PDB file of all heavy atoms in Angstrom:
ATOM      1  N   ALA M 768       0.945  75.423  -9.610  1.00 98.00           N
ATOM      2  CA  ALA M 768       0.382  76.716  -9.836  1.00 98.00           C
ATOM      3  C   ALA M 768      -1.063  76.581 -10.449  1.00 98.00           C
ATOM      4  O   ALA M 768      -1.256  75.598 -11.099  1.00 98.00           O
ATOM      5  CB  ALA M 768       1.213  77.523 -10.696  1.00 98.00           C
ATOM      6  N   SER M 769      -1.810  77.564 -10.248  1.00 98.00           N
ATOM      7  CA  SER M 769      -3.128  77.541 -10.765  1.00 98.00           C
ATOM      8  C   SER M 769      -3.203  77.522 -12.342  1.00 98.00           C
ATOM      9  O   SER M 769      -4.060  77.045 -12.939  1.00 98.00           O
ATOM     10  CB  SER M 769      -4.100  78.594 -10.297  1.00 98.00           C
ATOM     11  OG  SER M 769      -3.428  79.907 -10.363  1.00 98.00           O
ATOM     12  N   THR M 770      -2.156  77.944 -12.909  1.00 98.00           N
ATOM     13  CA  THR M 770      -2.082  78.006 -14.426  1.00 98.00           C
ATOM     14  C   THR M 770      -1.631  76.601 -14.925  1.00 98.00           C
ATOM     15  O   THR M 770      -1.762  76.296 -16.207  1.00 98.00           O
ATOM     16  CB  THR M 770      -0.940  78.985 -14.847  1.00 98.00           C
ATOM     17  OG1 THR M 770       0.120  78.885 -14.014  1.00 98.00           O
ATOM     18  CG2 THR M 770      -1.507  80.455 -14.755  1.00 98.00           C
ATOM     19  N   THR M 771      -1.101  75.808 -14.119  1.00 98.00           N
ATOM     20  CA  THR M 771      -0.725  74.467 -14.538  1.00 98.00           C
ATOM     21  C   THR M 771      -2.077  73.597 -14.569  1.00 98.00           C
ATOM     22  O   THR M 771      -2.693  73.466 -13.560  1.00 98.00           O
ATOM     23  CB  THR M 771       0.259  73.784 -13.687  1.00 98.00           C
ATOM     24  OG1 THR M 771       1.413  74.738 -13.772  1.00 98.00           O
ATOM     25  CG2 THR M 771       0.634  72.481 -14.047  1.00 98.00           C
ATOM     26  N   GLN M 772      -2.176  72.927 -15.735  1.00 98.00           N
ATOM     27  CA  GLN M 772      -3.461  72.111 -15.899  1.00 98.00           C
ATOM     28  C   GLN M 772      -3.236  70.638 -15.467  1.00 98.00           C
ATOM     29  O   GLN M 772      -2.353  70.023 -16.145  1.00 98.00           O
ATOM     30  CB  GLN M 772      -3.901  72.266 -17.350  1.00 98.00           C
ATOM     31  CG  GLN M 772      -5.320  71.730 -17.616  1.00 98.00           C
ATOM     32  CD  GLN M 772      -5.776  72.085 -19.086  1.00 98.00           C
ATOM     33  OE1 GLN M 772      -5.189  71.745 -20.030  1.00 98.00           O
ATOM     34  NE2 GLN M 772      -6.816  72.982 -19.069  1.00 98.00           N
ATOM     35  N   VAL M 773      -3.873  70.225 -14.452  1.00 98.00           N
ATOM     36  CA  VAL M 773      -3.851  68.836 -14.064  1.00 98.00           C
ATOM     37  C   VAL M 773      -4.875  67.980 -14.806  1.00 98.00           C
ATOM     38  O   VAL M 773      -6.040  68.284 -14.823  1.00 98.00           O
ATOM     39  CB  VAL M 773      -4.020  68.647 -12.508  1.00 98.00           C
ATOM     40  CG1 VAL M 773      -4.097  67.240 -12.186  1.00 98.00           C
ATOM     41  CG2 VAL M 773      -2.835  69.440 -11.864  1.00 98.00           C
ATOM     42  N   HIS M 774      -4.432  66.978 -15.530  1.00 98.00           N
ATOM     43  CA  HIS M 774      -5.311  66.001 -16.179  1.00 98.00           C
ATOM     44  C   HIS M 774      -5.244  64.688 -15.419  1.00 98.00           C
ATOM     45  O   HIS M 774      -4.252  64.382 -14.751  1.00 98.00           O
ATOM     46  CB  HIS M 774      -4.851  65.693 -17.619  1.00 98.00           C
ATOM     47  CG  HIS M 774      -5.044  66.852 -18.581  1.00 98.00           C
ATOM     48  ND1 HIS M 774      -5.417  66.617 -19.838  1.00 98.00           N
ATOM     49  CD2 HIS M 774      -4.888  68.191 -18.465  1.00 98.00           C
ATOM     50  CE1 HIS M 774      -5.561  67.794 -20.517  1.00 98.00           C
ATOM     51  NE2 HIS M 774      -5.252  68.718 -19.653  1.00 98.00           N
ATOM     52  N   THR M 775      -6.442  63.928 -15.500  1.00 98.00           N
ATOM     53  CA  THR M 775      -6.350  62.563 -15.073  1.00 98.00           C
ATOM     54  C   THR M 775      -7.018  61.777 -16.121  1.00 98.00           C
ATOM     55  O   THR M 775      -7.640  62.224 -17.137  1.00 98.00           O
ATOM     56  CB  THR M 775      -6.891  62.343 -13.705  1.00 98.00           C
ATOM     57  OG1 THR M 775      -6.689  61.070 -13.284  1.00 98.00           O
ATOM     58  CG2 THR M 775      -8.474  62.586 -13.693  1.00 98.00           C
ATOM     59  N   HIS M 776      -6.956  60.357 -15.991  1.00 98.00           N
ATOM     60  CA  HIS M 776      -7.542  59.520 -17.002  1.00 98.00           C
ATOM     61  C   HIS M 776      -8.062  58.203 -16.311  1.00 98.00           C
ATOM     62  O   HIS M 776      -7.348  57.713 -15.454  1.00 98.00           O
ATOM     63  CB  HIS M 776      -6.504  59.196 -18.085  1.00 98.00           C
ATOM     64  CG  HIS M 776      -6.813  57.894 -18.865  1.00 98.00           C
ATOM     65  ND1 HIS M 776      -7.838  57.969 -19.743  1.00 98.00           N
ATOM     66  CD2 HIS M 776      -6.338  56.612 -18.789  1.00 98.00           C
ATOM     67  CE1 HIS M 776      -7.969  56.701 -20.326  1.00 98.00           C
ATOM     68  NE2 HIS M 776      -7.089  55.919 -19.628  1.00 98.00           N
ATOM     69  N   MET M 777      -9.193  57.733 -16.654  1.00 96.00           N
ATOM     70  CA  MET M 777      -9.735  56.506 -16.224  1.00 96.00           C
ATOM     71  C   MET M 777     -10.304  55.661 -17.419  1.00 96.00           C
ATOM     72  O   MET M 777     -10.828  56.209 -18.330  1.00 96.00           O
ATOM     73  CB  MET M 777     -10.796  56.750 -15.252  1.00 96.00           C
ATOM     74  CG  MET M 777     -10.326  57.384 -13.991  1.00 96.00           C
ATOM     75  SD  MET M 777     -11.680  57.690 -12.872  1.00 96.00           S
ATOM     76  CE  MET M 777     -10.809  58.922 -11.850  1.00 96.00           C
ATOM     77  N   CYS M 778     -10.257  54.357 -17.236  1.00 91.00           N
ATOM     78  CA  CYS M 778     -10.800  53.476 -18.348  1.00 91.00           C
ATOM     79  C   CYS M 778     -11.410  52.234 -17.640  1.00 91.00           C
ATOM     80  O   CYS M 778     -11.236  51.948 -16.474  1.00 91.00           O
ATOM     81  CB  CYS M 778      -9.789  53.180 -19.329  1.00 91.00           C
ATOM     82  SG  CYS M 778      -8.168  52.760 -18.604  1.00 91.00           S
ATOM     83  N   TYR M 779     -12.010  51.409 -18.489  1.00 76.00           N
ATOM     84  CA  TYR M 779     -12.548  50.050 -18.091  1.00 76.00           C
ATOM     85  C   TYR M 779     -13.516  50.052 -16.897  1.00 76.00           C
ATOM     86  O   TYR M 779     -13.392  49.241 -16.042  1.00 76.00           O
ATOM     87  CB  TYR M 779     -11.341  49.175 -17.619  1.00 76.00           C
ATOM     88  CG  TYR M 779     -10.473  48.841 -18.584  1.00 76.00           C
ATOM     89  CD1 TYR M 779      -9.244  49.446 -18.595  1.00 76.00           C
ATOM     90  CD2 TYR M 779     -10.824  47.960 -19.552  1.00 76.00           C
ATOM     91  CE1 TYR M 779      -8.314  49.002 -19.605  1.00 76.00           C
ATOM     92  CE2 TYR M 779      -9.899  47.574 -20.520  1.00 76.00           C
ATOM     93  CZ  TYR M 779      -8.668  48.114 -20.426  1.00 76.00           C
ATOM     94  OH  TYR M 779      -7.829  47.721 -21.466  1.00 76.00           O
ATOM     95  N   ALA M 780     -14.404  50.960 -16.819  1.00 73.00           N
ATOM     96  CA  ALA M 780     -15.301  50.881 -15.742  1.00 73.00           C
ATOM     97  C   ALA M 780     -16.625  51.704 -15.923  1.00 73.00           C
ATOM     98  O   ALA M 780     -16.671  52.556 -16.858  1.00 73.00           O
ATOM     99  CB  ALA M 780     -14.589  51.448 -14.488  1.00 73.00           C
ATOM    100  N   ASP M 781     -17.485  51.346 -15.054  1.00 80.00           N
ATOM    101  CA  ASP M 781     -18.779  52.081 -14.975  1.00 80.00           C
ATOM    102  C   ASP M 781     -18.433  53.252 -13.960  1.00 80.00           C
ATOM    103  O   ASP M 781     -18.136  52.984 -12.934  1.00 80.00           O
ATOM    104  CB  ASP M 781     -19.687  51.133 -14.246  1.00 80.00           C
ATOM    105  CG  ASP M 781     -21.068  51.105 -14.784  1.00 80.00           C
ATOM    106  OD1 ASP M 781     -21.376  52.135 -15.460  1.00 80.00           O
ATOM    107  OD2 ASP M 781     -21.736  50.156 -14.657  1.00 80.00           O
ATOM    108  N   PHE M 782     -18.510  54.400 -14.565  1.00 88.00           N
ATOM    109  CA  PHE M 782     -18.186  55.491 -13.701  1.00 88.00           C
ATOM    110  C   PHE M 782     -19.318  56.134 -12.967  1.00 88.00           C
ATOM    111  O   PHE M 782     -19.152  56.994 -12.022  1.00 88.00           O
ATOM    112  CB  PHE M 782     -17.415  56.656 -14.537  1.00 88.00           C
ATOM    113  CG  PHE M 782     -16.277  56.135 -15.380  1.00 88.00           C
ATOM    114  CD1 PHE M 782     -16.406  56.100 -16.785  1.00 88.00           C
ATOM    115  CD2 PHE M 782     -15.160  55.701 -14.734  1.00 88.00           C
ATOM    116  CE1 PHE M 782     -15.445  55.488 -17.472  1.00 88.00           C
ATOM    117  CE2 PHE M 782     -14.083  55.248 -15.513  1.00 88.00           C
ATOM    118  CZ  PHE M 782     -14.163  55.156 -16.883  1.00 88.00           C
ATOM    119  N   GLY M 783     -20.504  55.653 -13.282  1.00 86.00           N
ATOM    120  CA  GLY M 783     -21.734  56.242 -12.670  1.00 86.00           C
ATOM    121  C   GLY M 783     -21.736  56.515 -11.244  1.00 86.00           C
ATOM    122  O   GLY M 783     -22.120  57.546 -10.762  1.00 86.00           O
ATOM    123  N   ASP M 784     -21.237  55.466 -10.464  1.00 85.00           N
ATOM    124  CA  ASP M 784     -21.361  55.641  -8.999  1.00 85.00           C
ATOM    125  C   ASP M 784     -20.041  56.397  -8.396  1.00 85.00           C
ATOM    126  O   ASP M 784     -20.019  56.421  -7.177  1.00 85.00           O
ATOM    127  CB  ASP M 784     -21.577  54.244  -8.250  1.00 85.00           C
ATOM    128  CG  ASP M 784     -20.874  53.190  -8.943  1.00 85.00           C
ATOM    129  OD1 ASP M 784     -20.102  53.389  -9.939  1.00 85.00           O
ATOM    130  OD2 ASP M 784     -21.023  51.999  -8.416  1.00 85.00           O
ATOM    131  N   ILE M 785     -19.214  56.924  -9.244  1.00 93.00           N
ATOM    132  CA  ILE M 785     -18.068  57.660  -8.599  1.00 93.00           C
ATOM    133  C   ILE M 785     -17.920  59.009  -9.168  1.00 93.00           C
ATOM    134  O   ILE M 785     -16.836  59.663  -8.968  1.00 93.00           O
ATOM    135  CB  ILE M 785     -16.832  56.879  -8.766  1.00 93.00           C
ATOM    136  CG1 ILE M 785     -16.458  56.558 -10.238  1.00 93.00           C
ATOM    137  CG2 ILE M 785     -16.701  55.614  -7.828  1.00 93.00           C
ATOM    138  CD1 ILE M 785     -14.949  56.304 -10.347  1.00 93.00           C
ATOM    139  N   PHE M 786     -18.952  59.680  -9.765  1.00 94.00           N
ATOM    140  CA  PHE M 786     -18.648  61.065 -10.316  1.00 94.00           C
ATOM    141  C   PHE M 786     -18.373  62.028  -9.146  1.00 94.00           C
ATOM    142  O   PHE M 786     -17.546  62.877  -9.371  1.00 94.00           O
ATOM    143  CB  PHE M 786     -19.938  61.507 -11.018  1.00 94.00           C
ATOM    144  CG  PHE M 786     -20.079  60.934 -12.457  1.00 94.00           C
ATOM    145  CD1 PHE M 786     -21.265  60.268 -12.844  1.00 94.00           C
ATOM    146  CD2 PHE M 786     -19.034  60.931 -13.270  1.00 94.00           C
ATOM    147  CE1 PHE M 786     -21.383  59.713 -14.047  1.00 94.00           C
ATOM    148  CE2 PHE M 786     -19.153  60.319 -14.469  1.00 94.00           C
ATOM    149  CZ  PHE M 786     -20.350  59.765 -14.963  1.00 94.00           C
ATOM    150  N   ALA M 787     -18.939  61.837  -7.954  1.00 95.00           N
ATOM    151  CA  ALA M 787     -18.701  62.722  -6.914  1.00 95.00           C
ATOM    152  C   ALA M 787     -17.191  62.569  -6.513  1.00 95.00           C
ATOM    153  O   ALA M 787     -16.489  63.563  -6.388  1.00 95.00           O
ATOM    154  CB  ALA M 787     -19.553  62.445  -5.691  1.00 95.00           C
TER     155      ALA M 787
END
Side-chain angles (χ1 to χ4, degrees):
S769 49
T770 45
T771 298
Q772 192 167 65
V773 173
H774 288 219
T775 188
H776 161 74
M777 294 179 196
C778 45
Y779 293 108
D781 222 335
F782 305 109
D784 37 1
I785 57 159
F786 284 129

